[in-house]
Amino acid sequence: QEELKSMASKLSRAVTFLPLKDLRYASTAADGHTWFMSSMHDVHEPDEVRYQHFPSEASGGRVLCLRGRDRRDGARNSYALAWPETLPPNATLARGTTFVSYNHYDYDNIWHGLSVLMPFVAWHVRGRCAGGPPARWILYHWGELRTDLAPWVKTLLEATFRGGPLKIEDFEGPGGGDRVATCFEEAVVMRHNEGGMSNEKIVEVYDLMRCRSRVYCGAKSREVNGSSIGMTVLMRDGPRSFKNASEVIRIFEKECRKVEGCQLMVAYLRNLTFCEQVKLMSLTDVMVSAHGAQLSNIFLMDKNSSVMELFPKGWLELAGVGQYVYRDLAGWSGMIHEGAWRDPAGDRRPFPENDQRCMSVVYKNGKIGHNETYFSEWARKVLGKVKLRKLAVPVSINPVSGRCGCNY
């Protein structure tokens, strides 16, 4: 017995903590095993999300332990693996399932928050929602602890997991010093957003989030087809707002009036709660919006709804691949991206036309004009396609089910 105790003590003291952010891989921070928990490799089954699960066969039955409360230097935070019977000295064991997120961008922007946390829903769906909601979330950006999310994303996760208010770990409890470790009875780590998932699996995840959000918000059932068409123009203030909002509204309203049953809705999302946005999107068949985070709402529409996206001048040439995120989101969530209009006119620039500084100084915050001929023809074409789609489907009611594919 004494020999067993001695061996357990040695195993406990032998637990080795490694930097949570490995600076050796700074040049490939988001690739492969990444610089976050760089010694670990993901489990990747065909078509499924890439993840790490502790304890598991891959971890040799060991649990994940963190010394991870630093909010300024991720290299000062650390991680280790330990057997549950031989945790490191002075460590505490947190019960339940813990979701550990690595975000290379930020949690304040609702697009970045959605894209980095959606994979946890995928893992949840993959296990047929067994085990219920997570006990806690731990959020890291470049290995640095974060303790808050964009309110829209936080409410979306509360609705999806139906576990009440989200618990985001801050490690500020009693005895939560820098060198005190917390180990987790079960932990799931994500580092690659939706990377590796098939489109079919991604659509399944957005189906669940759409359904759960509508249940959470009490969105009413609606007619799947028929003569009713909801067309919503989402407005913005400041960057990427319309130079002449009333003219833009007038053009789309004019085309909407030409289609029987079409109703135009105009909304500033700054005035709407999460649930008001869910209800608005449940009534929307065609969304018209400038490029921006508010377009993250598109997955809340019925599948096969249409998205019309608008850009200021200069984005096509200088914005990079990030300008296509909502086109991709439309495909991932079963929507139809109807193309984009890019304003050919813009503010005067202090640099040559293709100078990257034009993007950060002028184009990124540019405003959007209008082209009545183009907008009218574009709206007429999209509304016509929506009308035909609705007439092609037998009239039915889309019920809001409390089950949404998971039974807990």
Side-chain angles (χ1 to χ4, degrees):
Q1 189 69 19
E2 289 302 316
E3 288 179 354
L4 289 174
K5 287 182 180 179
S6 176
M7 181 60 71
S9 176
K10 291 177 180 177
L11 286 172
S12 176
R13 293 196 302 272
V15 173
T16 302
F17 280 84
L18 301 172
L20 204 56
K21 180 174 70 173
D22 191 337
L23 297 176
R24 294 177 300 169
Y25 300 103
S27 62
T28 56
D31 298 335
H33 53 68
T34 78
W35 66 350
F36 181 83
M37 293 178 57
S38 64
S39 69
M40 307 303 301
H41 293 272
D42 298 321
V43 175
H44 187 206
E45 300 166 4
D47 299 331
E48 298 285 355
V49 68
R50 300 166 66 178
Y51 67 93
Q52 298 171 38
H53 186 206
F54 306 93
S56 63
E57 182 178 346
S59 72
R62 292 172 294 176
V63 299
L64 176 67
C65 302
L66 293 175
R67 290 173 177 163
R69 62 192 304 232
D70 197 288
R71 304 185 189 192
R72 294 187 177 182
D73 184 358
R76 294 182 60 186
N77 292 323
S78 56
Y79 71 102
L81 301 184
W83 282 283
E85 302 82 7
T86 57
L87 298 180
N90 300 320
T92 58
L93 183 66
R95 299 292 180 181
T97 301
T98 302
F99 284 172
V100 182
S101 167
Y102 168 72
N103 190 339
H104 199 63
Y105 297 97
D106 64 74
Y107 291 98
D108 298 323
N109 178 285
I110 68 174
W111 158 251
H112 292 312
L114 172 64
S115 61
V116 79
L117 298 174
M118 181 274 284
F120 291 98
V121 184
W123 186 86
H124 188 63
V125 171
R126 173 184 170 277
R128 300 188 181 278
C129 308
R136 67 194 62 78
W137 295 75
I138 304 179
L139 311 178
Y140 286 108
H141 168 249
W142 290 19
E144 302 160 3
L145 185 68
R146 297 291 182 262
T147 57
D148 206 3
L149 280 169
W152 184 93
V153 179
K154 185 183 293 187
T155 306
L156 173 64
L157 292 174
E158 290 171 353
T160 300
F161 286 99
R162 301 198 299 193
L166 219 62
K167 175 173 173 47
I168 300 177
E169 185 61 64
D170 59 12
F171 296 114
E172 295 292 342
D178 289 340
R179 308 310 299 168
V180 175
T182 303
C183 303
F184 304 96
E185 181 179 35
E186 180 183 35
V188 179
V189 180
M190 300 285 181
R191 304 184 291 186
H192 288 289
N193 295 7
E194 67 287 330
M197 292 179 67
S198 67
N199 194 69
E200 180 183 357
K201 293 295 182 181
I202 296 176
V203 168
E204 183 181 0
V205 171
Y206 282 112
D207 283 347
L208 176 67
M209 291 196 291
R210 178 189 308 111
C211 182
R212 284 283 174 83
S213 296
R214 290 187 180 186
V215 171
Y216 177 86
C217 294
K220 294 181 180 180
S221 301
R222 62 167 298 185
E223 199 176 81
V224 172
N225 88 319
S227 59
S228 174
I229 297 177
M231 187 179 204
T232 298
V233 181
L234 291 185
M235 309 296 288
R236 291 174 61 96
D237 297 306
R240 298 190 295 285
S241 60
F242 294 115
K243 295 175 183 176
N244 192 332
S246 60
E247 270 299 291
V248 173
I249 293 169
R250 180 191 65 79
I251 294 166
F252 285 105
E253 185 177 33
K254 177 187 67 174
E255 295 305 321
C256 185
R257 284 200 306 265
K258 295 177 182 177
V259 178
E260 182 182 0
C262 182
Q263 179 182 359
L264 184 77
M265 297 169 280
V266 178
Y268 282 89
L269 294 190
R270 57 174 163 71
N271 294 328
L272 302 181
T273 65
F274 173 80
C275 280
E276 288 171 336
Q277 293 177 44
V278 170
K279 293 175 182 177
L280 174 65
M281 292 300 100
S282 70
L283 299 174
T284 299
D285 298 294
V286 181
M287 181 196 284
V288 182
S289 177
H291 175 86
Q294 76 283 354
L295 271 169
S296 299
N297 281 280
I298 61 180
F299 77 90
L300 296 168
M301 300 188 292
D302 285 344
K303 287 166 77 171
N304 293 318
S305 294
S306 295
V307 181
M308 304 169 68
E309 191 173 6
L310 301 98
F311 286 87
K313 177 182 173 61
W315 279 63
L316 179 63
E317 298 80 9
L318 299 174
V321 296
Q323 64 188 294
Y324 302 112
V325 293
Y326 298 109
R327 183 192 65 184
D328 294 340
L329 178 57
W332 294 336
S333 57
M335 306 303 159
I336 300 171
H337 193 275
E338 302 284 2
W341 182 77
R342 299 174 182 275
D343 195 341
D347 296 332
R348 293 184 60 187
R349 57 186 185 278
F351 310 107
E353 184 170 2
N354 292 323
D355 191 313
Q356 190 61 44
R357 291 173 294 179
C358 290
M359 186 66 196
S360 57
V361 175
V362 180
Y363 298 147
K364 185 176 177 64
N365 296 323
K367 295 195 174 185
I368 301 174
H370 67 278
N371 181 320
E372 180 163 2
T373 301
Y374 188 95
F375 284 10
S376 296
E377 293 178 357
W378 191 19
R380 195 177 309 127
K381 178 181 176 181
V382 172
L383 288 169
K385 289 164 62 176
V386 172
K387 189 76 171 179
L388 289 175
R389 281 200 301 269
K390 288 202 162 198
L391 292 175
V393 180
V395 177
S396 61
I397 298 298
N398 182 19
V400 175
S401 166
R403 297 176 67 88
C404 296
C406 291
N407 297 323
Y408 72 78

